[in-house]
Amino acid sequence: MADTYSSNTSSSDGGREGRKAERRRVAAEAHHKRDTMKKIKVILKKVRTERSVEECVLLCENDEMVKTALSRLKLQQCRRSRLCEHTDCVQLIDTKCAQMSAMMREAKHCIIYTGAGISTAADVPDYRGPNGVWTLLQKGITTRCAPIVDCSPTLTHQAIVSLHETGVVKYIVSQNCDGLHLRSGLPQSALSEIHGNMYIEVCTHCEEQREYVRCFDVTSHTGLRRHDTGRVCHYCDSALVDSIVHFGESNRTLLPQQWTAAIHHAQQADLIVCLGSSLKVLKVYKQLWGMRQRRAKLCIVNLQWTPKDNQAALKINATCDDVMLRVMNNLNLQIPNYTRQRDPIFQLSVPLNSDEHTTSKHLSHDPPYTPAGGDPPYTPAGGDPPYTPAGGDPPYTPAGGDPPYTPAG
């Protein structure tokens, strides 16, 4: 009996030791494979004439690993190239803008999708550009930008207002939370801000969601899954929430997202113009691309690669302001002027109750900066001469020596 127990114990111990040895062997092989892969990657980055005999032998002995390493290096290079911004030559931009103008003129139901790229001229940072918020964060660099309430709508924002007023564009869907579309004068009935608006807080407890437009950033004390703004509804005393949709969150408010209207117009569209968006987020919203009868033509204006480039009828690598200036000129449409004193948000805003407050900076009726000596009031980013609207003042002349935009009349 004792001999049998001893034999079983020895067999069990031997089994455990065997399994441990097997695990150590597998771990050692994996470690060796990783080291070999690192060496191969270093060798492949060298010029062939700089490789030693031992390095060439290592590559020959590990043919499959070399193929894998080459595939990974190619993928990395492709990803890096997609992050680079590329600008078409002036002549090509002119040609493409003429094509885009013709497409918009012929379209029966044109809609526009906008991204952060239309606001960079107003010093609002984008997300995935070379100096974008997410790009720098991935490098461990934190960014600090000026308050967005000090920014003003860009030439592109104002051009979109004119395109909608004249019926060329039927609807606008924006990813931006900066509120510049609303402040440019675009009516809310023509706009879906699918990720929210920094100037809008909402009561979700009223029978019909109630919207409160403010003259300050309502998100100063909110964040991911923390949306109470600290103020209450003037009708039901329920807590107000911001309208922002963060990454990883689902939509909570009906306003200002207006998804029903966005989907309706997407289904009717025969032309979609995407301005300043990488489309990496917009492509996920299948309902914005599922047309009822036939797929709409797609025109993309962006400095970087987008996942929809291969499907686009036209891709323009240029800044949105440069493109829209040419398009408006081709369509013989005037770009309306923006003045801070007449910003629509002042008429739309709901004043705070006497017992309510905010620590956010309020939007001022006066521009944040007025140059001395009678200098032109608006200077686009990039050092270009200022854009001056109708009224007999000198015309706006874009970079690249293009013909100036001369207002009608």
Side-chain angles (χ1 to χ4, degrees), residues 120-147:
T120 52
D123 293 330
V124 178
D126 60 9
Y127 291 92
R128 293 178 174 82
N131 297 312
V133 175
W134 303 139
T135 305
L136 294 178
L137 284 176
Q138 288 176 349
K139 298 177 181 178
I141 303 172
T142 56
T143 58
R144 298 185 68 180
C145 55

PDB file of all heavy atoms in Angstrom, residues 120-147:
ATOM      1  N   THR A 120      -9.840  75.359 -37.859  1.00  0.00           N
ATOM      2  CA  THR A 120      -8.430  75.595 -37.531  1.00  0.00           C
ATOM      3  C   THR A 120      -8.002  77.016 -37.894  1.00  0.00           C
ATOM      4  O   THR A 120      -7.118  77.578 -37.247  1.00  0.00           O
ATOM      5  CB  THR A 120      -7.521  74.589 -38.248  1.00  0.00           C
ATOM      6  OG1 THR A 120      -7.831  74.575 -39.652  1.00  0.00           O
ATOM      7  CG2 THR A 120      -7.714  73.187 -37.692  1.00  0.00           C
ATOM      8  N   ALA A 121      -8.624  77.619 -38.900  1.00  0.00           N
ATOM      9  CA  ALA A 121      -8.303  79.005 -39.258  1.00  0.00           C
ATOM     10  C   ALA A 121      -8.745  79.973 -38.174  1.00  0.00           C
ATOM     11  O   ALA A 121      -8.299  81.120 -38.144  1.00  0.00           O
ATOM     12  CB  ALA A 121      -8.965  79.377 -40.589  1.00  0.00           C
ATOM     13  N   ALA A 122      -9.621  79.521 -37.275  1.00  0.00           N
ATOM     14  CA  ALA A 122     -10.055  80.341 -36.138  1.00  0.00           C
ATOM     15  C   ALA A 122      -9.241  80.012 -34.893  1.00  0.00           C
ATOM     16  O   ALA A 122      -9.619  80.397 -33.780  1.00  0.00           O
ATOM     17  CB  ALA A 122     -11.542  80.109 -35.870  1.00  0.00           C
ATOM     18  N   ASP A 123      -8.133  79.268 -35.081  1.00  0.00           N
ATOM     19  CA  ASP A 123      -7.246  78.864 -33.978  1.00  0.00           C
ATOM     20  C   ASP A 123      -7.888  77.853 -33.038  1.00  0.00           C
ATOM     21  O   ASP A 123      -7.484  77.731 -31.881  1.00  0.00           O
ATOM     22  CB  ASP A 123      -6.767  80.081 -33.176  1.00  0.00           C
ATOM     23  CG  ASP A 123      -5.839  80.973 -33.996  1.00  0.00           C
ATOM     24  OD1 ASP A 123      -5.135  80.434 -34.873  1.00  0.00           O
ATOM     25  OD2 ASP A 123      -5.832  82.190 -33.770  1.00  0.00           O
ATOM     26  N   VAL A 124      -8.898  77.134 -33.526  1.00  0.00           N
ATOM     27  CA  VAL A 124      -9.439  76.002 -32.772  1.00  0.00           C
ATOM     28  C   VAL A 124      -8.656  74.770 -33.218  1.00  0.00           C
ATOM     29  O   VAL A 124      -8.634  74.449 -34.414  1.00  0.00           O
ATOM     30  CB  VAL A 124     -10.940  75.796 -33.055  1.00  0.00           C
ATOM     31  CG1 VAL A 124     -11.470  74.589 -32.290  1.00  0.00           C
ATOM     32  CG2 VAL A 124     -11.721  77.050 -32.686  1.00  0.00           C
ATOM     33  N   PRO A 125      -7.979  74.055 -32.310  1.00  0.00           N
ATOM     34  CA  PRO A 125      -7.145  72.929 -32.734  1.00  0.00           C
ATOM     35  C   PRO A 125      -7.970  71.778 -33.288  1.00  0.00           C
ATOM     36  O   PRO A 125      -9.109  71.561 -32.864  1.00  0.00           O
ATOM     37  CB  PRO A 125      -6.426  72.510 -31.439  1.00  0.00           C
ATOM     38  CG  PRO A 125      -7.332  72.971 -30.337  1.00  0.00           C
ATOM     39  CD  PRO A 125      -7.973  74.236 -30.846  1.00  0.00           C
ATOM     40  N   ASP A 126      -7.405  71.063 -34.266  1.00  0.00           N
ATOM     41  CA  ASP A 126      -8.065  69.856 -34.750  1.00  0.00           C
ATOM     42  C   ASP A 126      -7.633  68.684 -33.882  1.00  0.00           C
ATOM     43  O   ASP A 126      -6.996  68.854 -32.851  1.00  0.00           O
ATOM     44  CB  ASP A 126      -7.773  69.615 -36.234  1.00  0.00           C
ATOM     45  CG  ASP A 126      -6.286  69.441 -36.513  1.00  0.00           C
ATOM     46  OD1 ASP A 126      -5.501  69.338 -35.547  1.00  0.00           O
ATOM     47  OD2 ASP A 126      -5.907  69.402 -37.694  1.00  0.00           O
ATOM     48  N   TYR A 127      -7.977  67.459 -34.312  1.00  0.00           N
ATOM     49  CA  TYR A 127      -7.703  66.290 -33.480  1.00  0.00           C
ATOM     50  C   TYR A 127      -6.614  65.397 -34.045  1.00  0.00           C
ATOM     51  O   TYR A 127      -5.740  64.941 -33.320  1.00  0.00           O
ATOM     52  CB  TYR A 127      -8.997  65.473 -33.293  1.00  0.00           C
ATOM     53  CG  TYR A 127     -10.010  66.182 -32.440  1.00  0.00           C
ATOM     54  CD1 TYR A 127     -10.988  66.999 -33.020  1.00  0.00           C
ATOM     55  CD2 TYR A 127      -9.981  66.072 -31.058  1.00  0.00           C
ATOM     56  CE1 TYR A 127     -11.906  67.669 -32.238  1.00  0.00           C
ATOM     57  CE2 TYR A 127     -10.909  66.743 -30.264  1.00  0.00           C
ATOM     58  CZ  TYR A 127     -11.861  67.535 -30.862  1.00  0.00           C
ATOM     59  OH  TYR A 127     -12.767  68.216 -30.084  1.00  0.00           O
ATOM     60  N   ARG A 128      -6.657  65.150 -35.360  1.00  0.00           N
ATOM     61  CA  ARG A 128      -5.754  64.141 -35.931  1.00  0.00           C
ATOM     62  C   ARG A 128      -4.728  64.714 -36.907  1.00  0.00           C
ATOM     63  O   ARG A 128      -4.046  63.972 -37.589  1.00  0.00           O
ATOM     64  CB  ARG A 128      -6.577  63.044 -36.615  1.00  0.00           C
ATOM     65  CG  ARG A 128      -7.390  62.232 -35.607  1.00  0.00           C
ATOM     66  CD  ARG A 128      -8.255  61.171 -36.285  1.00  0.00           C
ATOM     67  NE  ARG A 128      -8.897  60.332 -35.301  1.00  0.00           N
ATOM     68  CZ  ARG A 128     -10.008  60.637 -34.646  1.00  0.00           C
ATOM     69  NH1 ARG A 128     -10.609  61.789 -34.862  1.00  0.00           N
ATOM     70  NH2 ARG A 128     -10.526  59.810 -33.760  1.00  0.00           N
ATOM     71  N   GLY A 129      -4.615  66.024 -36.966  1.00  0.00           N
ATOM     72  CA  GLY A 129      -3.577  66.642 -37.789  1.00  0.00           C
ATOM     73  C   GLY A 129      -2.210  66.461 -37.144  1.00  0.00           C
ATOM     74  O   GLY A 129      -2.094  65.953 -36.019  1.00  0.00           O
ATOM     75  N   PRO A 130      -1.140  66.885 -37.810  1.00  0.00           N
ATOM     76  CA  PRO A 130       0.212  66.748 -37.252  1.00  0.00           C
ATOM     77  C   PRO A 130       0.352  67.393 -35.879  1.00  0.00           C
ATOM     78  O   PRO A 130       1.117  66.924 -35.044  1.00  0.00           O
ATOM     79  CB  PRO A 130       1.089  67.447 -38.294  1.00  0.00           C
ATOM     80  CG  PRO A 130       0.311  67.350 -39.566  1.00  0.00           C
ATOM     81  CD  PRO A 130      -1.126  67.451 -39.162  1.00  0.00           C
ATOM     82  N   ASN A 131      -0.396  68.488 -35.648  1.00  0.00           N
ATOM     83  CA  ASN A 131      -0.379  69.158 -34.345  1.00  0.00           C
ATOM     84  C   ASN A 131      -1.731  69.051 -33.651  1.00  0.00           C
ATOM     85  O   ASN A 131      -2.068  69.891 -32.810  1.00  0.00           O
ATOM     86  CB  ASN A 131       0.006  70.634 -34.522  1.00  0.00           C
ATOM     87  CG  ASN A 131       1.408  70.800 -35.066  1.00  0.00           C
ATOM     88  OD1 ASN A 131       2.348  70.181 -34.567  1.00  0.00           O
ATOM     89  ND2 ASN A 131       1.553  71.623 -36.095  1.00  0.00           N
ATOM     90  N   GLY A 132      -2.493  68.020 -34.016  1.00  0.00           N
ATOM     91  CA  GLY A 132      -3.814  67.831 -33.430  1.00  0.00           C
ATOM     92  C   GLY A 132      -3.746  67.373 -31.983  1.00  0.00           C
ATOM     93  O   GLY A 132      -2.721  66.904 -31.488  1.00  0.00           O
ATOM     94  N   VAL A 133      -4.877  67.507 -31.299  1.00  0.00           N
ATOM     95  CA  VAL A 133      -4.944  67.171 -29.870  1.00  0.00           C
ATOM     96  C   VAL A 133      -4.568  65.721 -29.623  1.00  0.00           C
ATOM     97  O   VAL A 133      -3.715  65.402 -28.792  1.00  0.00           O
ATOM     98  CB  VAL A 133      -6.364  67.457 -29.326  1.00  0.00           C
ATOM     99  CG1 VAL A 133      -6.479  67.006 -27.882  1.00  0.00           C
ATOM    100  CG2 VAL A 133      -6.679  68.947 -29.437  1.00  0.00           C
ATOM    101  N   TRP A 134      -5.209  64.784 -30.383  1.00  0.00           N
ATOM    102  CA  TRP A 134      -4.940  63.358 -30.150  1.00  0.00           C
ATOM    103  C   TRP A 134      -3.526  62.989 -30.603  1.00  0.00           C
ATOM    104  O   TRP A 134      -2.857  62.177 -29.967  1.00  0.00           O
ATOM    105  CB  TRP A 134      -5.960  62.485 -30.894  1.00  0.00           C
ATOM    106  CG  TRP A 134      -7.398  62.732 -30.556  1.00  0.00           C
ATOM    107  CD1 TRP A 134      -8.436  62.766 -31.432  1.00  0.00           C
ATOM    108  CD2 TRP A 134      -7.964  62.984 -29.265  1.00  0.00           C
ATOM    109  NE1 TRP A 134      -9.606  63.038 -30.775  1.00  0.00           N
ATOM    110  CE2 TRP A 134      -9.355  63.163 -29.451  1.00  0.00           C
ATOM    111  CE3 TRP A 134      -7.441  63.088 -27.985  1.00  0.00           C
ATOM    112  CZ2 TRP A 134     -10.217  63.449 -28.391  1.00  0.00           C
ATOM    113  CZ3 TRP A 134      -8.298  63.376 -26.932  1.00  0.00           C
ATOM    114  CH2 TRP A 134      -9.659  63.538 -27.134  1.00  0.00           C
ATOM    115  N   THR A 135      -3.060  63.597 -31.691  1.00  0.00           N
ATOM    116  CA  THR A 135      -1.714  63.299 -32.194  1.00  0.00           C
ATOM    117  C   THR A 135      -0.658  63.654 -31.160  1.00  0.00           C
ATOM    118  O   THR A 135       0.264  62.876 -30.887  1.00  0.00           O
ATOM    119  CB  THR A 135      -1.442  64.077 -33.497  1.00  0.00           C
ATOM    120  OG1 THR A 135      -2.472  63.775 -34.448  1.00  0.00           O
ATOM    121  CG2 THR A 135      -0.095  63.693 -34.082  1.00  0.00           C
ATOM    122  N   LEU A 136      -0.787  64.834 -30.548  1.00  0.00           N
ATOM    123  CA  LEU A 136       0.194  65.271 -29.545  1.00  0.00           C
ATOM    124  C   LEU A 136       0.078  64.469 -28.254  1.00  0.00           C
ATOM    125  O   LEU A 136       1.088  64.161 -27.611  1.00  0.00           O
ATOM    126  CB  LEU A 136       0.009  66.765 -29.258  1.00  0.00           C
ATOM    127  CG  LEU A 136       0.325  67.704 -30.434  1.00  0.00           C
ATOM    128  CD1 LEU A 136       0.065  69.154 -30.040  1.00  0.00           C
ATOM    129  CD2 LEU A 136       1.770  67.537 -30.900  1.00  0.00           C
ATOM    130  N   LEU A 137      -1.146  64.116 -27.870  1.00  0.00           N
ATOM    131  CA  LEU A 137      -1.320  63.316 -26.652  1.00  0.00           C
ATOM    132  C   LEU A 137      -0.667  61.943 -26.785  1.00  0.00           C
ATOM    133  O   LEU A 137      -0.114  61.415 -25.818  1.00  0.00           O
ATOM    134  CB  LEU A 137      -2.813  63.161 -26.331  1.00  0.00           C
ATOM    135  CG  LEU A 137      -3.505  64.382 -25.714  1.00  0.00           C
ATOM    136  CD1 LEU A 137      -4.985  64.113 -25.535  1.00  0.00           C
ATOM    137  CD2 LEU A 137      -2.870  64.739 -24.364  1.00  0.00           C
ATOM    138  N   GLN A 138      -0.732  61.364 -27.992  1.00  0.00           N
ATOM    139  CA  GLN A 138      -0.076  60.078 -28.216  1.00  0.00           C
ATOM    140  C   GLN A 138       1.434  60.183 -28.077  1.00  0.00           C
ATOM    141  O   GLN A 138       2.106  59.210 -27.761  1.00  0.00           O
ATOM    142  CB  GLN A 138      -0.431  59.552 -29.612  1.00  0.00           C
ATOM    143  CG  GLN A 138      -1.870  59.057 -29.727  1.00  0.00           C
ATOM    144  CD  GLN A 138      -2.229  58.641 -31.137  1.00  0.00           C
ATOM    145  OE1 GLN A 138      -1.490  58.898 -32.084  1.00  0.00           O
ATOM    146  NE2 GLN A 138      -3.373  57.988 -31.290  1.00  0.00           N
ATOM    147  N   LYS A 139       1.973  61.393 -28.288  1.00  0.00           N
ATOM    148  CA  LYS A 139       3.407  61.629 -28.114  1.00  0.00           C
ATOM    149  C   LYS A 139       3.751  62.076 -26.697  1.00  0.00           C
ATOM    150  O   LYS A 139       4.902  62.400 -26.399  1.00  0.00           O
ATOM    151  CB  LYS A 139       3.888  62.687 -29.111  1.00  0.00           C
ATOM    152  CG  LYS A 139       3.719  62.290 -30.572  1.00  0.00           C
ATOM    153  CD  LYS A 139       4.150  63.427 -31.493  1.00  0.00           C
ATOM    154  CE  LYS A 139       3.970  63.050 -32.964  1.00  0.00           C
ATOM    155  NZ  LYS A 139       4.347  64.175 -33.871  1.00  0.00           N
ATOM    156  N   GLY A 140       2.733  62.131 -25.821  1.00  0.00           N
ATOM    157  CA  GLY A 140       2.965  62.550 -24.448  1.00  0.00           C
ATOM    158  C   GLY A 140       3.029  64.053 -24.281  1.00  0.00           C
ATOM    159  O   GLY A 140       3.524  64.547 -23.262  1.00  0.00           O
ATOM    160  N   ILE A 141       2.504  64.796 -25.258  1.00  0.00           N
ATOM    161  CA  ILE A 141       2.551  66.258 -25.202  1.00  0.00           C
ATOM    162  C   ILE A 141       1.150  66.789 -24.903  1.00  0.00           C
ATOM    163  O   ILE A 141       0.185  66.466 -25.590  1.00  0.00           O
ATOM    164  CB  ILE A 141       3.042  66.852 -26.541  1.00  0.00           C
ATOM    165  CG1 ILE A 141       4.419  66.281 -26.906  1.00  0.00           C
ATOM    166  CG2 ILE A 141       3.092  68.377 -26.469  1.00  0.00           C
ATOM    167  CD1 ILE A 141       4.888  66.672 -28.297  1.00  0.00           C
ATOM    168  N   THR A 142       1.037  67.578 -23.853  1.00  0.00           N
ATOM    169  CA  THR A 142      -0.246  68.204 -23.527  1.00  0.00           C
ATOM    170  C   THR A 142      -0.300  69.583 -24.167  1.00  0.00           C
ATOM    171  O   THR A 142       0.715  70.283 -24.279  1.00  0.00           O
ATOM    172  CB  THR A 142      -0.433  68.342 -22.011  1.00  0.00           C
ATOM    173  OG1 THR A 142       0.677  69.066 -21.466  1.00  0.00           O
ATOM    174  CG2 THR A 142      -0.514  66.980 -21.354  1.00  0.00           C
ATOM    175  N   THR A 143      -1.483  69.973 -24.604  1.00  0.00           N
ATOM    176  CA  THR A 143      -1.641  71.247 -25.305  1.00  0.00           C
ATOM    177  C   THR A 143      -2.529  72.191 -24.512  1.00  0.00           C
ATOM    178  O   THR A 143      -3.425  71.761 -23.784  1.00  0.00           O
ATOM    179  CB  THR A 143      -2.270  71.034 -26.692  1.00  0.00           C
ATOM    180  OG1 THR A 143      -3.551  70.387 -26.543  1.00  0.00           O
ATOM    181  CG2 THR A 143      -1.384  70.176 -27.553  1.00  0.00           C
ATOM    182  N   ARG A 144      -2.259  73.464 -24.660  1.00  0.00           N
ATOM    183  CA  ARG A 144      -3.096  74.504 -24.064  1.00  0.00           C
ATOM    184  C   ARG A 144      -3.433  75.499 -25.158  1.00  0.00           C
ATOM    185  O   ARG A 144      -2.556  76.041 -25.818  1.00  0.00           O
ATOM    186  CB  ARG A 144      -2.358  75.205 -22.916  1.00  0.00           C
ATOM    187  CG  ARG A 144      -1.988  74.286 -21.768  1.00  0.00           C
ATOM    188  CD  ARG A 144      -1.365  75.053 -20.620  1.00  0.00           C
ATOM    189  NE  ARG A 144      -2.341  75.905 -19.980  1.00  0.00           N
ATOM    190  CZ  ARG A 144      -2.056  76.698 -18.937  1.00  0.00           C
ATOM    191  NH1 ARG A 144      -0.823  76.755 -18.466  1.00  0.00           N
ATOM    192  NH2 ARG A 144      -2.999  77.441 -18.388  1.00  0.00           N
ATOM    193  N   CYS A 145      -4.723  75.699 -25.379  1.00  0.00           N
ATOM    194  CA  CYS A 145      -5.143  76.605 -26.439  1.00  0.00           C
ATOM    195  C   CYS A 145      -5.958  77.750 -25.851  1.00  0.00           C
ATOM    196  O   CYS A 145      -6.433  77.679 -24.709  1.00  0.00           O
ATOM    197  CB  CYS A 145      -5.955  75.859 -27.505  1.00  0.00           C
ATOM    198  SG  CYS A 145      -7.372  74.977 -26.853  1.00  0.00           S
ATOM    199  N   ALA A 146      -6.116  78.784 -26.637  1.00  0.00           N
ATOM    200  CA  ALA A 146      -6.881  79.948 -26.199  1.00  0.00           C
ATOM    201  C   ALA A 146      -8.358  79.565 -26.024  1.00  0.00           C
ATOM    202  O   ALA A 146      -8.840  78.624 -26.650  1.00  0.00           O
ATOM    203  CB  ALA A 146      -6.742  81.066 -27.225  1.00  0.00           C
ATOM    204  N   PRO A 147      -9.091  80.290 -25.162  1.00  0.00           N
ATOM    205  CA  PRO A 147     -10.524  79.997 -24.987  1.00  0.00           C
ATOM    206  C   PRO A 147     -11.267  80.073 -26.310  1.00  0.00           C
ATOM    207  O   PRO A 147     -11.081  81.018 -27.083  1.00  0.00           O
ATOM    208  CB  PRO A 147     -10.975  81.101 -24.014  1.00  0.00           C
ATOM    209  CG  PRO A 147      -9.747  81.550 -23.323  1.00  0.00           C
ATOM    210  CD  PRO A 147      -8.631  81.404 -24.313  1.00  0.00           C
TER     211      PRO A 147
END
